[in-house]
Amino acid sequence: MKLLFEKSVPGRRSYYLSDLDVPMASLPENLCRKAPPGLPELAETDVTRHYSALESRTFGINDGFYPLGSCTMKYNPKINDSVAGLPGFAGLHPLQPIEGVQGLLEALDMADRCLSQITGMDKMTFQPAAGAHGEFTGLMLFKAYHESRGDAARKTVVVPDSAHGTNPATASMCGMKVVNLPSTADGRVDLVKLQEVVGPDTAGIMLTNPNTLGLFEQEILEITEIVHKAGGLCYYDGANLNAIAGVMRPGDMGFDCVHLNLHKTFSTPHGGGGPGCGAVGCKSFLQKYLPGPQVQKDGGRFTFDQSDESVGNILGFYGNILIVLRALAYIMAYGKDGLPLIAKHALLNANYLKHRLAERFEITNKGLCMHEFIITMEKEAKASGVTAMDMAKAIIDNGMMTPTMYFPLIVKECLMVEPTETEGKETLDEVADTYIRIYDALMADPQAAKAFPVNTVVGRPDEVAAARNPILRYTSVDS
Ligand SMILES: *Cc1c(COP(=O)(O)O)cnc(C)c1O
């Protein structure tokens, strides 16, 4: 496929400007270009067809089943996009006088109160632009808290080995030392080991619950108590809130701070690096350290305030607020009674698909799983050379997105499946039938397994070479 630049035809335009009806302004010579910018010159049809062709080569939730574990790639109701697109919101400018944005501030205040109630926290910030950015914010709060008490020696963060990779990365970014906590044989936090690693140097723990093995940490109250007794704080990675929203609250589990991926659970489409919101909630004793301006209600009027002890700004202005509006519309549409159904249906779907796939696959979750489960193909890889990668590549050929591959790192040859609540039983059955059919075909002919995918634009790129020896300069192609 050619680039727009290669399709460019000199003089071709897709706009019509009316004749100048005001005097021509003259710009200072030093501000004027010497030559026109090298932009593609195209008709509207060229541009439209180009982007439609690109779109047809990608795969998204609107195309089919997208079970990417730990990502909650669920269907997002389109009406929430309409709410975020209302001109009274979408047309605002961040520097507009406060009198002109009272409606938005009221909506942000409502979203704060709804999400605080859902998480069991006291106050939220919407400034963080991603989950990882929220984690960073949370640890900054922990740091500010310990330093304010003259307890600056607390420099280690305990992270279970089942954690999302962003957790240890965040702790390092904040200048903390990561203490890796190995899981028990059943995949949960080992209380004895936790007790051994916490001490006067512990800044806190970062925990995902349900963890990335799709398991609920049943001893969660003991875990947060051990950390608190040692003087540390507890951070809840709430990116997986889809599994518990409206049913359980991190605040009730003993956590001091949590981030939510509004772009996973709360109705903003994600992937591809688009804008996100890693909203962070905290208990009241951390509130004064929150970043960015906070919405305050002063009589009947909303204003902004930022505490002197705030950790500062971690993004410009108030964050990606249109994402917050989608979340608010979503929460209000489902309400207090509807929200728990989302979590329960997510668990029901995961357990149904897990049950169906257990006909062929080895699944690491014994008993019930939460919103996701893990298939391991370690035995198949050893016996016949058919790997999780082969399975995933064959799935792509059948018009479905793969599950998350080779994550979490502690399970060999794994595929992590998160069907989400927005899939119907017919889809889940079709998925189970397809996976089983593919499995049988790969096992019958392990040699052929290496050929997939055959129906895609790109087959099997050499991923190691692509990472070690990246070609970052475009060279023309004619396909
Ligand atoms: C997705 C995810 C994150 C990171 O969120 P980003 O928005 O991608 O930065 C962190 N933790 C868990 C458990 C996740 O699933």
Side-chain angles (χ1 to χ4, degrees), residues 70 130-132 135 164 166 208 237 239-240 261 263-264:
S70 203
E135 294 168 27
H164 195 269
T166 49
T208 310
D237 177 336
N240 290 345
N261 282 30
H263 49 285
K264 286 182 182 170

